[in-house]
Amino acid sequence: MNLAIVNGYVVPMDGDPIEGGTVLIEDGKITAVGSGLAVPEGVTTVDAGGQWVLPGFVEAHGHIGVYEEAEGWAGQDTNEMTDPNGARLRALDGINPADLGFQDALSGGVTTAVIKPGSGNPIGGQTVAVKCWGRTVDEMLVRQPVSVKSALGENPKRVYGDQKKLPSTRLGVATVIRDAFRRAQDYKADTDRRERDATLEILVKVLDGELPWCQHAHRADDIATALRLADEFGYKVIINHGTEGHLLADELAARNIPVIIGPLFTSRSKVELRNRSLRNPGILARAGVELAITTDHPVVPIHFLVHQATLAVKEGLDRETALKALTVNPARIMGLDDRVGALKPGLDGDVVIWSGDPLDVFSRAMRVFVNGREVYAYGPDGGTVTDPYYREAR
């Protein structure tokens, strides 16, 4: 798709805002961003009318498509709670593009989502990055795998404790992870092996630094365990949730360990959430921790991603950092910054025209473009998917 979005207040996220700016997209990729740009002849032109133009938001941790809304048991494919080590499992294989959450994502300016298995297992499986528009997950695919999901804390010990099997304690959860990596080390060292092992192959990629380890951890002691395991085996760890990450903010910053924080709009529904606070993102950011904000959809509906950032700003998070936590930061943390997260030449043409400052709760996503194709627009009767290819496929 060839497109020119003109006369916008362009916020590229990797540079200063541009009054009266233009974004040029050719064959789905951004080719130029600036002011006074000449629009090539024959290119479709969209006049932003002075409204805000930003890159599509990136949800760094969610379960959209694998935990379908309004489907109950039939749409629940988040956790394969029959094997504590599910490294060979792929979220990609459980995603339903017809999940209502994908249209909600577009309405909230979210164009890319990293979809992860749940936290029922010590090792949940492989995560995948997709665009929030498409008929099949294969068309939506950005990258597979993106990382491996792991969980510490209450969830895995509850799941397997109820089954009266290992792991039923925090000791057991850490042991499952440690044992898995030791087997992976042995597998890597055995150059004469004759049979492939899909589980160990993925864990070897983690050990080799090809895939980061997305570690579900809320409580400070679980975060400390995550750091201990990462030190022991030398892999790159990303803290997911990090509810008590502010208690170890200096340690996380010193180690350059990013935190995908959230969800922030929940009650303290379990013990490890007792210190949940909208102040925590600001504390982490001021300590120098690289931050992304997550809804953990459907825990918080994905179109409320920007509102979590707004209220975090109200509670002390720097405004610029809040926008980065929705765009360039999650893209960089998840290794997607060569595709999404900013408006700059070479990246995908994922652009959202907002009625005003996205951090103003009265602003809304007016028009959404994925790979240069308009896929969503807000009208007087509410938001609609605008692309006929997508509508007919529905």
Side-chain angles (χ1 to χ4, degrees), residues 29-342:
K29 296 287 186 179
I30 298 171
T31 57
V33 179
S35 60
L37 298 178
V39 177
E41 187 175 347
V43 171
T44 300
T45 299
V46 173
D47 187 346
Q51 294 180 320
W52 289 52
V53 179
L54 279 88
F57 293 155
V58 179
E59 168 56 90
H61 176 110
H63 310 292
I64 185 172
V66 295
Y67 196 145
E68 299 174 52
E69 294 190 84
E71 295 291 342
W73 174 89
Q76 169 55 280
D77 293 298
T78 317
N79 288 297
E80 180 61 50
M81 293 184 291
T82 58
D83 187 343
N85 183 356
R88 65 193 179 281
L89 304 173
R90 309 189 312 170
L92 174 73
D93 296 323
I95 296 171
N96 182 4
D99 182 4
L100 299 172
F102 282 114
Q103 183 166 337
D104 286 345
L106 297 175
S107 75
V110 180
T111 55
T112 301
V114 179
I115 300 173
K116 299 176 180 178
S119 53
N121 297 319
I123 304 176
Q126 301 164 49
T127 78
V128 61
V130 300
K131 297 297 179 68
C132 294
W133 172 89
R135 288 189 305 169
T136 69
V137 68
D138 307 276
E139 294 175 350
M140 301 158 69
L141 186 63
V142 177
R143 189 157 296 144
Q144 156 65 34
V146 174
S147 65
V148 177
K149 170 71 179 293
S150 171
L152 296 168
E154 294 181 27
N155 290 7
K157 63 174 280 189
R158 182 187 69 249
V159 167
Y160 289 94
D162 288 348
Q163 299 178 34
K164 306 299 182 184
K165 59 190 289 190
L166 181 76
S168 62
T169 62
R170 282 180 164 83
L171 289 69
V173 173
T175 294
V176 168
I177 295 170
R178 185 173 285 111
D179 287 349
F181 276 116
R182 285 175 176 162
R183 287 193 296 271
Q185 289 173 327
D186 292 342
Y187 182 80
K188 179 181 177 181
D190 182 11
T191 56
D192 295 327
R193 60 180 179 266
R194 297 185 179 183
E195 294 185 3
R196 297 182 62 183
D197 187 310
T199 295
L200 296 178
E201 284 180 355
I202 289 296
L203 294 179
V204 168
K205 290 181 181 293
V206 175
L207 291 173
D208 287 347
E210 295 180 39
L211 292 173
W213 191 250
C214 277
Q215 186 66 77
H216 166 114
H218 285 281
R219 240 167 55 174
D221 59 328
D222 291 325
I223 295 171
T225 297
L227 304 186
R228 188 180 316 117
L229 288 167
D231 286 346
E232 184 174 344
F233 293 100
Y235 54 74
K236 176 185 177 183
V237 66
I238 300 168
I239 298 300
N240 287 231
H241 305 306
T243 299
E244 293 187 353
H246 61 291
L247 300 178
L248 299 175
D250 57 339
E251 185 76 13
L252 293 167
R255 293 168 175 254
N256 294 316
I257 294 174
V259 175
I260 301 171
I261 192 167
L264 300 171
F265 283 179
T266 63
S267 64
R268 297 176 180 88
S269 57
K270 51 185 177 179
V271 174
E272 61 190 14
L273 298 183
R274 64 184 303 125
N275 285 320
R276 179 201 55 72
S277 171
L278 283 161
R279 295 190 298 273
N280 294 347
I283 297 171
L284 285 166
R286 288 191 294 276
V289 176
E290 186 171 30
L291 203 66
I293 293 176
T294 178
T295 60
D296 195 13
H297 177 92
V299 179
V300 170
I302 193 167
H303 51 302
F304 291 163
L305 179 64
V306 68
H307 299 318
Q308 292 190 130
T310 294
L311 293 190
V313 169
K314 179 182 177 183
E315 297 298 330
L317 179 63
D318 175 75
R319 186 188 175 285
E320 182 179 354
T321 302
L323 281 178
K324 287 183 176 180
L326 307 177
T327 53
V328 291
N329 285 5
R332 184 166 48 244
I333 289 168
M334 299 310 303
L336 305 173
D337 51 332
D338 61 333
R339 294 284 305 274
V340 298

